[in-house]
Amino acid sequence: MIYQDGEQHNKQRALVSSGFTPRQMRKMETRAREICVDLVDKMLAKDEVDIVADLAGALPARLIADMIDIPEEKRDAVLNWVNLIVAGGQGPEYVTDEVNDAFTNFCEHHEEMYQDRMASGAKGSDLLCIWINAEINGEKLDESQLLFEHVLLNVGGAETTRSAIAGGLERLSNDQKQYDAIVDDPSLIANAIEEILRWVCPFVNMYRTATRDYELHGQVIKEGQQVGVIYPAGNRDPRKFKDPHTFNIFRDFSTEAKHLSFGLGPHFCLGSSLARMEIRLSLEEMTQRVKRIRSPEGKPPEYVTSSFVRGLGKYPAILEPR
Ligand code: HEM
């Protein structure tokens, strides 16, 4: 859907959009909370954790796997393949044998799931069944469209929210006053989520083609030109945000601008309500149960190298329970 325009895009998006409404998220919240509590329980039982693997990556991956109904025993492997596929998206020199294998494995996994659904008449309510049964203008999605939507939701669902949760906790752990402010007043979490999204900005860019000439800050963009939208730059525009390089959960978004982390217009992120819920649950559970998050000596957080998604690949930490 992300590469379609107009009616085709609307229809392709409409196939799955009812699964991502704020109302639908309220229904999913109990299950999401259970997963989050379980992950935090497990972290609190360890001397040292990796917040990316143990919470920030695991929560979104489990929820999207539930929505696609990925078999339990395949979930870790799928997550690993998706991580590798995204790493390969940085450019041709990053497409290693390992990345190629990951994509081949994902395709085989998709084919297995597809055949499994077809064998039982695709009667379920998971996203794959919805795509299989869908018809747009009397036509079914072809196999490559099905595969593409499947990859898109795995990447969208698992990679970006992971960066937001891990990056947000990392910022808060570096500023104990802001962390403690959330503990004292959990109603601050709503604003903190928006600041985390602005600050972390998990997607770096999307490319779009100008449909007409347009002048922006004295620069003329011609119809037909490709425009690289660099979201983190927009989120740090000093004309729009006060002191834009400072992470501040008290930022007043009503007098400043809205962040651009979920994009704008018809392609506005389909999973924004799900992402916000996952970030909220993580902040609630962590701030209520963990007094302080510290980095172990000589083990700073590590960023993934990617020109497409920004974020932490590893976040070693010691958690001080309350
Ligand atoms: C913090 C987390 C997330 C961020 C920062 C993010 C960001 C974005 C951005 C920037 C776009 C493109 C918007 C545009 O072109 O204007 C997008 C589209 C999309 N996102 Fe997300 N996303 C996140 C989480 C999710 C989740 C959890 C899902 C689903 C499970 C998801 C699914 C999608 C899909 C399907 C699209 C394409 C929508 C379309 O083309 O109509 N995203 N997202």
Side-chain angles (χ1 to χ4, degrees):
M1 76 186 85
I2 204 158
Y3 290 133
Q4 304 293 332
D5 283 329
E7 203 192 343
Q8 177 69 23
H9 166 254
N10 291 341
K11 291 194 166 158
Q12 227 162 297
R13 183 171 165 122
L15 293 177
V16 286
S17 58
S18 62
F20 291 93
T21 56
R23 193 170 183 212
Q24 195 59 27
M25 291 309 114
R26 283 194 286 279
K27 287 196 197 157
M28 275 173 68
E29 180 157 342
T30 313
R31 160 94 179 127
R33 170 86 64 188
E34 271 169 21
I35 298 174
C36 194
V37 168
D38 175 52
L39 294 170
V40 175
D41 282 346
K42 291 198 171 109
M43 287 203 300
L44 285 171
K46 294 190 198 173
D47 294 335
E48 190 180 313
V49 298
D50 173 359
I51 289 184
V52 172
D54 294 339
L55 172 69
L59 174 65
R62 283 202 202 169
L63 285 175
I64 197 68
D66 278 358
M67 293 175 93
I68 304 175
D69 201 11
I70 300 175
E72 203 65 51
E73 67 283 2
K74 275 289 185 73
R75 291 183 176 195
D76 286 347
V78 172
L79 183 60
N80 186 35
W81 299 330
V82 172
N83 287 341
L84 285 163
I85 293 168
V86 171
Q90 296 172 76
E93 69 271 34
Y94 295 91
V95 184
T96 57
D97 287 348
E98 208 188 3
V99 169
N100 277 326
D101 288 347
F103 193 66
T104 309
N105 287 331
F106 189 92
C107 292
E108 280 171 6
H109 152 75
H110 169 79
E111 186 61 23
E112 265 171 36
M113 286 188 68
Y114 174 77
Q115 293 303 344
D116 171 75
R117 299 298 190 278
M118 294 306 279
S120 56
K123 292 205 181 74
S125 57
D126 63 81
L127 293 175
L128 197 53
C129 286
I130 291 174
W131 287 318
I132 290 171
N133 292 318
E135 281 192 13
I136 296 182
N137 300 334
E139 284 188 27
K140 296 236 175 230
L141 295 181
D142 66 31
E143 282 198 28
S144 67
Q145 283 172 317
L146 273 176
L147 173 66
F148 207 115
E149 298 299 66
H150 195 173
V151 177
L152 175 67
L153 276 198
N154 270 286
V155 173
E159 287 281 326
T160 48
T161 318
R162 178 188 78 179
S163 301
I165 295 171
L169 288 171
E170 193 268 338
R171 275 298 87 200
L172 288 167
S173 74
N174 274 294
D175 189 333
Q176 196 63 33
K177 270 195 193 146
Q178 294 197 57
Y179 189 93
D180 291 341
I182 293 181
V183 176
D184 295 341
D185 179 6
S187 74
L188 285 171
I189 287 180
N191 213 55
I193 294 171
E194 300 313 307
E195 179 63 349
I196 287 171
L197 287 164
R198 183 193 77 86
W199 172 270
V200 178
C201 197
F203 265 131
V204 179
N205 57 57
M206 289 280 169
Y207 280 76
R208 297 289 186 229
T209 308
T211 54
R212 60 187 164 90
D213 291 358
Y214 191 81
E215 194 179 324
L216 186 68
H217 304 309
Q219 179 78 36
V220 178
I221 299 166
K222 290 272 185 209
E223 181 182 334
Q225 274 185 329
Q226 273 217 326
V227 183
V229 187
I230 313 292
Y231 297 112
N235 281 351
R236 282 162 175 69
D237 184 343
R239 287 166 291 215
K240 300 286 180 184
F241 297 99
K242 268 190 230 150
D243 203 3
H245 293 282
T246 300
F247 176 80
N248 174 13
I249 61 164
F250 302 101
R251 189 175 291 283
D252 184 357
F253 288 99
S254 67
T255 57
E256 300 186 21
K258 287 203 169 68
H259 62 75
L260 298 173
S261 299
F262 289 129
L264 275 179
H267 290 276
F268 182 82
C269 177
L270 180 69
S272 61
S273 300
L274 174 57
R276 284 190 169 105
M277 176 178 76
E278 291 169 332
I279 303 168
R280 173 169 59 76
L281 293 176
S282 304
L283 289 184
E284 284 173 358
E285 290 304 322
M286 287 295 281
T287 51
Q288 291 309 312
R289 301 179 62 192
V290 175
K291 196 152 78 184
R292 188 181 297 265
I293 304 171
R294 286 191 291 113
S295 286
E297 199 59 35
K299 288 191 187 171
E302 289 173 31
Y303 278 83
V304 291
T305 43
S306 171
S307 53
F308 183 52
V309 286
R310 266 155 61 86
L312 298 175
K314 279 194 185 139
Y315 180 10
I318 295 170
L319 307 183
E320 272 181 38
R322 276 193 191 285

